Amino acid sequence: MTVQITEVRITPVAVKDPPLLNSVGVHEPYALRAVIELYAGPDLLGLSEAYGDDPSLERLRRVAPALIGLDPFDVHELHRRTATALGEAPEDMPTDMIGPPSASKTLAATFAAFEVACLDLQGRAIGRPVSDLLGGAVRAAVPFSGYLFYRWAGHPGHPDDGPEALTPDSIVDQAKDLVARYGFGSLKLKGGVRPPDEEIAAIRALRAAFPDHPLRLDPNTNWTVPTSIHVGTELAGVLEYLEDPTAGLEGMAEVARAVPMPLATNMCVTTFEDLPAAIEQRSVQVVLSDHHFWGGLRESVILAGICRTFDLGLSMHSNTHLGISLAAMTQLAAAIPNLTYACDTHIPWQVEDVIEPGVLRFVDGSVPVPTTPGLGVTLDRDALARLHEQYLTCGVRRRDDIGYMRSIVPSWSGIRPMF
Amino acid sequence: MTVQITEVRITPVAVKDPPLLNSVGVHEPYALRAVIELYAGPDLLGLSEAYGDDPSLERLRRVAPALIGLDPFDVHELHRRTATALGEAPEDMPTDMIGPPSASKTLAATFAAFEVACLDLQGRAIGRPVSDLLGGAVRAAVPFSGYLFYRWAGHPGHPDDGPEALTPDSIVDQAKDLVARYGFGSLKLKGGVRPPDEEIAAIRALRAAFPDHPLRLDPNTNWTVPTSIHVGTELAGVLEYLEDPTAGLEGMAEVARAVPMPLATNMCVTTFEDLPAAIEQRSVQVVLSDHHFWGGLRESVILAGICRTFDLGLSMHSNTHLGISLAAMTQLAAAIPNLTYACDTHIPWQVEDVIEPGVLRFVDGSVPVPTTPGLGVTLDRDALARLHEQYLTCGVRRRDDIGYMRSIVPSWSGIRPMF
């Protein structure tokens, strides 16, 4: 069977994003994504979704011409072509949440964007879901965690789009709403926003309201080591895991020795190069995988094998994403036996999407794994055109939570650790 | 596309084996293999080749009935069914060359036997070589190393089948013969047979005769730590790597600290469970993968990812095998970017095979990777019947190099380390 890529389309889109607060600032009114279409002839299409900021887009476009004629089954050749097109220079990453930029990170992220589309193409070509290309689904539905954010009611100058959440009670209200609508069986609070004792109070309020829900807290390294140990000690027996309380492998190792719960990360272990030192120092106990920056779905399977081998827990990280990425995350999570924690997702916060509705849905907090070929999702071309138009007019070209916050709060430093 | 396993056939075969000497004794006149056929309907067949000793056969047969109805794309389900059928008890392994038996090893080996056949089935179902199921071939031909053995001219009571090789000069003659016939670009001597200084002399004689061939020496843990350090020091600058000089992670680490060349292993790191301690202690620098006991082709890809991540070299081990396994080894090696050493193979020592000839051949020491569907090889049914008949009459039912040597040399202990 011959399959060759004949056309590559990369379409940046902007989707409305609420004013979600995090350790460095606040989400801008629009979040950017790139929709990738790989055609193998007129009727065979593989989809992917990637970062849509300017540097990421430029890299995708630099690689795209090299993909014409590629066999989508040959992802090793895809990797070679991507590496050749990108060269060796470290370049901007779409978020500093995954550590300093490096050439290997930009290669991994750019390759991943196309690899997912190649696996979608493979699955469509052979009539198999992507999970079958990864060894087969070990679960019929993938559990996700309800992602709670401190937030404003609306962006300055825009209409309010939801209730403000800045207190423990309002976080509980937000959780009740998400659980009611999606059925989430576990909850994660994006922390590092309010003073630590307020966030401890929020977690305790969640525990009181949801006695049986596993709970997570993620301050995105906005705490010093002593603050991290204080919070971890206070929340002993309450948190399923504490995520990236402080920066760096050494700091994380120090916290890990002092607190009773596992430490999870998507910030100090974000590449394969980070793993040896993290394992040697016992800095983390749970890795939050993310195929977008770990080099795609097959590399994520290798990461899972490493976690299994070194007795590390495995969960899944999420940045703002749409339905194509949700499908990829679901197919991947379905095929990893040792992905035993509910995955993160930003999906409840995005009201716009580029896929035809109905395929991906939440049932009791889990997404049933599509069993149709490939990722299982289809582009909604009207939505794609509309969200691309929104991209053209929205003015946002790279994510800048710090700069946006400074435009509202001029004294904002965004320098971590704040607490 | 629906594919379901409808029939499982397991056929033990015996092939003539020369009197090759190793650290525990000598190869018996017949070596055992199991040929596995997985049918998905009458016209779709997946092949594999596995250990053919009684305990391995019994395990394969115990699992076989559970495979009816299995989707060969669902190797995770294959793993569950295999684990369920086998239970938790540690059981005999076909060779003590891969360390003490354990439940996880017997599960990995039994699963691997069927997994390879499932991948052959997958490839045949979709019209793709197995290398494409593993990410794509990164090389068109896989280099193998010429495997040199001390040997007798013939088995007692059998006709001689080759020149005796017990001296440095005769090992060089054997190497010249293998290089002339196969074009091998690197050479490995199975050591631990003659006194160490004789083996040092043999390696030096090989270096003189083959100035540019990478050379390896593998005494299968038949040396003490001081002997290992003595040999490693004497052969500084001569060996590409020294393989399993001594037993255990601690001993290997002590040798590794004292000798200049990398240490390779297929004896002290034979399961994923062995890796953390081996890495922590820096016991080995090169892992010799073997899909037969590492849990199949996909698990071998994960092993390769671990080696890449932890800066370990990766080579490939071989036990006595036939063409189906050679095809599997070739497809796997083709798809692993960081398998940078020539692989081991026993193929020159087997004059009988179960596959139709012509597909697999050595060109300049390398096997061109089949690009036809699946593994790319076809059963020779006449040969299968003949070698099964030979199995029925040969009397060998499990490999016992020690016992066979004792039947010839009653004082033989087979206890390592001998030197």
Side-chain angles (χ1 to χ4, degrees):
Chain A
M1 177 182 43
T2 301
V3 187
Q4 284 193 325
I5 292 171
T6 51
E7 187 184 352
V8 181
R9 291 188 201 165
I10 298 161
T11 310
V13 297
V15 294
K16 294 187 181 71
D17 207 19
L20 307 178
L21 296 160
N22 61 31
S23 65
V24 293
V26 58
H27 284 210
E28 293 162 275
Y30 297 94
L32 306 179
R33 298 294 278 172
V35 173
I36 292 161
E37 299 169 71
L38 293 188
Y39 286 87
D43 300 322
L44 198 54
L45 168 60
L47 295 177
S48 177
E49 182 193 322
Y51 304 112
D53 59 296
D54 268 355
S56 294
L57 272 180
E58 189 277 325
R59 285 192 290 270
L60 294 171
R61 289 173 172 149
R62 213 186 320 163
V63 174
L67 305 189
I68 303 304
L70 178 77
D71 176 350
F73 282 83
D74 195 351
V75 296
H76 289 137
E77 174 65 14
L78 168 65
H79 194 269
R80 280 192 298 277
R81 294 189 189 187
T82 307
T84 300
L86 290 187
E88 290 292 326
E91 302 176 66
D92 282 358
M93 287 295 288
T95 166
D96 71 343
M97 297 292 193
I98 58 171
S102 73
S104 74
K105 282 184 197 174
T106 51
L107 172 56
T110 311
F111 167 74
F114 294 118
E115 190 247 15
V116 171
C118 281
L119 266 67
D120 190 24
L121 258 183
Q122 287 184 26
R124 289 175 189 276
I126 68 173
R128 286 278 175 169
V130 165
S131 61
D132 275 359
L133 305 174
L134 305 174
V138 299
R139 46 187 73 86
V142 170
F144 286 85
S145 182
Y147 208 152
L148 310 174
F149 282 87
Y150 291 106
R151 61 165 294 172
W152 300 329
H155 289 281
H158 290 69
D160 290 354
D161 67 0
E164 179 184 88
L166 296 170
T167 65
D169 284 351
S170 57
I171 288 292
V172 169
D173 289 343
Q174 188 185 90
K176 286 179 176 171
D177 175 59
L178 286 192
V179 170
R181 289 194 287 137
Y182 294 88
F184 291 122
S186 62
L187 294 165
K188 163 174 170 168
L189 175 61
K190 176 63 81 184
V193 173
R194 308 292 301 171
D197 285 338
E198 280 189 39
E199 296 189 352
I200 292 171
I203 292 293
R204 288 185 173 142
L206 286 168
R207 171 51 70 238
F210 298 93
D212 300 321
H213 275 59
L215 301 175
R216 313 166 182 177
L217 176 57
D218 172 19
N220 280 125
T221 74
N222 211 10
W223 297 341
T224 63
V225 167
T227 301
S228 302
I229 293 172
H230 165 68
V231 177
T233 305
E234 287 291 314
L235 292 178
V238 183
L239 289 182
E240 172 181 43
Y241 57 66
L242 177 58
E243 184 179 330
D244 286 313
T246 199
L249 295 180
E250 292 76 13
M252 287 284 279
E254 193 177 343
V255 176
R257 287 191 293 272
V259 302
M261 70 282 290
L263 299 191
T265 187
N266 63 284
M267 296 182 70
C268 69
V269 179
T270 60
T271 72
F272 288 93
E273 291 93 320
D274 296 327
L275 282 160
I279 288 168
E280 187 167 7
Q281 300 178 41
R282 302 179 201 282
S283 303
V284 301
Q285 290 71 52
V286 180
V287 175
L288 286 92
S289 71
D290 183 330
H291 72 267
H292 300 87
F293 61 79
W294 277 94
L297 303 180
R298 291 176 52 89
E299 288 290 283
S300 297
V301 169
I302 289 177
L303 172 61
I306 292 175
C307 288
R308 181 193 66 187
T309 301
F310 290 88
D311 202 20
L312 292 169
L314 185 64
S315 186
M316 193 180 283
H317 169 254
S318 136
N319 275 122
T320 299
H321 66 94
L322 304 176
I324 301 171
S325 278
L326 180 63
M329 294 158 72
T330 300
Q331 295 282 353
L332 172 63
I336 295 187
N338 58 311
L339 198 148
T340 50
Y341 292 98
C343 303
D344 287 345
T345 178
H346 282 67
I347 282 290
W349 302 106
Q350 272 65 59
V351 295
E352 299 170 310
D353 207 335
V354 293
I355 62 168
E356 290 186 359
V359 171
L360 299 177
R361 63 193 192 285
F362 286 81
V363 179
D364 296 335
S366 295
V367 175
V369 184
T371 55
T372 50
L375 294 173
V377 294
T378 308
L379 263 186
D380 178 336
R381 301 226 164 247
D382 292 339
L384 181 69
R386 188 172 62 249
L387 297 177
H388 177 60
E389 184 63 28
Q390 185 160 273
Y391 167 82
L392 293 175
T393 57
C394 76
V396 179
R397 283 299 175 267
R398 63 173 73 194
R399 181 174 176 173
D400 183 10
D401 293 12
I402 294 182
Y404 179 55
M405 181 64 107
R406 281 186 190 145
S407 75
I408 302 161
V409 182
S411 65
W412 181 258
S413 83
I415 295 170
R416 294 173 290 192
M418 192 182 296
F419 304 107
Chain B
M1 176 182 43
T2 302
V3 186
Q4 284 193 324
I5 292 170
T6 51
E7 186 184 351
V8 182
R9 291 188 201 164
I10 297 161
T11 310
V13 297
V15 294
K16 293 189 181 69
D17 207 18
L20 306 178
L21 295 161
N22 60 31
S23 66
V24 294
V26 58
H27 285 210
E28 292 162 275
Y30 296 95
L32 307 178
R33 299 293 279 172
V35 173
I36 293 160
E37 299 168 72
L38 294 187
Y39 286 87
D43 301 322
L44 198 53
L45 168 59
L47 295 176
S48 177
E49 181 194 322
Y51 304 110
D53 59 295
D54 268 355
S56 294
L57 273 178
E58 188 278 324
R59 284 191 289 271
L60 293 171
R61 288 172 173 150
R62 213 185 320 162
V63 174
L67 305 189
I68 304 303
L70 179 76
D71 176 350
F73 282 84
D74 196 351
V75 295
H76 289 136
E77 174 65 14
L78 168 65
H79 194 269
R80 279 192 298 276
R81 294 189 189 187
T82 306
T84 301
L86 290 187
E88 290 292 324
E91 302 177 67
D92 281 357
M93 287 295 288
T95 166
D96 71 344
M97 297 292 192
I98 59 171
S102 74
S104 74
K105 282 183 197 174
T106 51
L107 173 57
T110 310
F111 168 74
F114 293 119
E115 190 246 16
V116 171
C118 281
L119 266 66
D120 190 25
L121 259 183
Q122 288 184 27
R124 289 175 188 277
I126 68 172
R128 287 278 174 169
V130 166
S131 61
D132 275 359
L133 306 173
L134 305 174
V138 298
R139 46 188 71 88
V142 170
F144 286 85
S145 182
Y147 207 152
L148 310 175
F149 281 86
Y150 290 105
R151 59 164 296 172
W152 300 329
H155 288 281
H158 291 67
D160 289 355
D161 67 0
E164 179 184 89
L166 295 170
T167 65
D169 284 351
S170 57
I171 288 292
V172 169
D173 289 343
Q174 188 184 89
K176 287 178 176 172
D177 175 60
L178 286 191
V179 170
R181 288 194 288 136
Y182 294 88
F184 291 122
S186 62
L187 294 165
K188 164 173 170 170
L189 175 61
K190 175 62 82 183
V193 174
R194 308 292 302 171
D197 286 336
E198 281 189 39
E199 297 189 352
I200 292 170
I203 292 292
R204 288 185 172 143
L206 287 168
R207 171 52 70 239
F210 299 92
D212 300 321
H213 276 58
L215 301 176
R216 313 166 181 177
L217 176 57
D218 171 19
N220 281 125
T221 75
N222 211 9
W223 298 340
T224 63
V225 168
T227 300
S228 303
I229 294 173
H230 164 67
V231 178
T233 305
E234 287 291 314
L235 292 177
V238 184
L239 289 182
E240 171 180 43
Y241 56 66
L242 178 58
E243 184 178 330
D244 286 312
T246 199
L249 294 180
E250 292 76 12
M252 287 285 278
E254 193 176 344
V255 176
R257 286 191 294 271
V259 302
M261 69 281 292
L263 298 190
T265 187
N266 63 283
M267 296 181 69
C268 70
V269 178
T270 59
T271 71
F272 287 93
E273 291 93 322
D274 295 326
L275 282 161
I279 288 169
E280 187 169 8
Q281 299 179 40
R282 303 180 200 282
S283 302
V284 301
Q285 289 72 52
V286 180
V287 175
L288 287 92
S289 70
D290 184 330
H291 72 266
H292 300 88
F293 60 78
W294 277 94
L297 303 180
R298 291 176 52 89
E299 288 290 283
S300 297
V301 169
I302 289 177
L303 172 62
I306 292 175
C307 289
R308 181 192 67 188
T309 301
F310 290 87
D311 203 20
L312 292 169
L314 184 64
S315 186
M316 194 181 282
H317 169 255
S318 135
N319 275 122
T320 298
H321 65 93
L322 303 176
I324 302 172
S325 278
L326 180 62
M329 294 158 72
T330 300
Q331 295 281 354
L332 172 63
I336 295 187
N338 59 311
L339 198 148
T340 52
Y341 292 98
C343 303
D344 287 344
T345 177
H346 283 67
I347 281 292
W349 301 107
Q350 273 63 60
V351 296
E352 299 171 310
D353 207 336
V354 294
I355 61 167
E356 291 185 358
V359 171
L360 300 178
R361 62 193 192 286
F362 285 81
V363 180
D364 296 335
S366 294
V367 175
V369 184
T371 55
T372 49
L375 294 174
V377 295
T378 308
L379 262 186
D380 177 336
R381 301 225 163 250
D382 291 340
L384 181 69
R386 187 171 63 249
L387 297 176
H388 177 61
E389 185 63 29
Q390 186 159 271
Y391 167 83
L392 294 175
T393 58
C394 76
V396 179
R397 285 297 177 267
R398 61 173 74 194
R399 180 173 175 173
D400 183 10
D401 293 12
I402 294 181
Y404 180 55
M405 181 63 107
R406 281 186 190 145
S407 75
I408 302 161
V409 181
S411 65
W412 180 258
S413 82
I415 295 171
R416 294 174 290 191
M418 192 182 297
F419 303 108

